[in-house]
Amino acid sequence: MAGPDVRLTAWVHGHVQGVGFRWWTRSRALELGLTGYAANRPDGRVQVVAQGPREHCQRLLELLQGGSTPGRVDTVVADWAVATEPIDGFTER
């Protein structure tokens, strides 16, 4: 039996703005059935918030770290929490 949905917040550092990174992340998240968003931050990072089954969020995190993303990912800092508020769809912000 699956546990409660989780919320992954990933801070992606590197050359990840202006290279299609948010679009790519949204596509992967939708393929995994996740909800959330990918947002450019003023300091050059992209913040990814994804909600759904832990194994699907873990797979998205692996993809973010995997080297096949647009641009260049230097590091990903991940924070895990229990999903409390529902999010509709997966958007680019």
Side-chain angles (χ1 to χ4, degrees):
M1 181 175 144
D5 281 356
V6 298
R7 176 179 288 199
L8 165 66
T9 303
W11 298 92
V12 184
H13 301 248
H15 179 65
V16 290
Q17 291 190 10
V19 293
F21 186 86
R22 291 177 302 149
W23 177 88
W24 180 90
T25 300
R26 178 179 178 270
S27 297
R28 302 296 79 78
L30 290 173
E31 289 169 359
L32 291 166
L34 300 173
T35 62
Y37 58 89
N40 284 340
R41 305 309 302 168
D43 62 5
R45 296 180 296 175
V46 170
Q47 179 189 21
V48 177
V49 174
Q51 286 190 175
R54 184 172 185 97
E55 60 273 14
H56 295 185
C57 288
Q58 182 64 45
R59 179 63 186 137
L60 179 63
L61 179 59
E62 291 166 2
L63 289 167
L64 293 174
Q65 298 167 326
S68 62
T69 65
R72 185 195 75 248
V73 174
D74 293 334
T75 190
V76 180
V77 178
D79 181 52
W80 294 92
V82 174
T84 53
E85 298 295 322
I87 301 174
D88 289 330
F90 200 98
T91 59
E92 296 173 48
R93 295 185 179 175

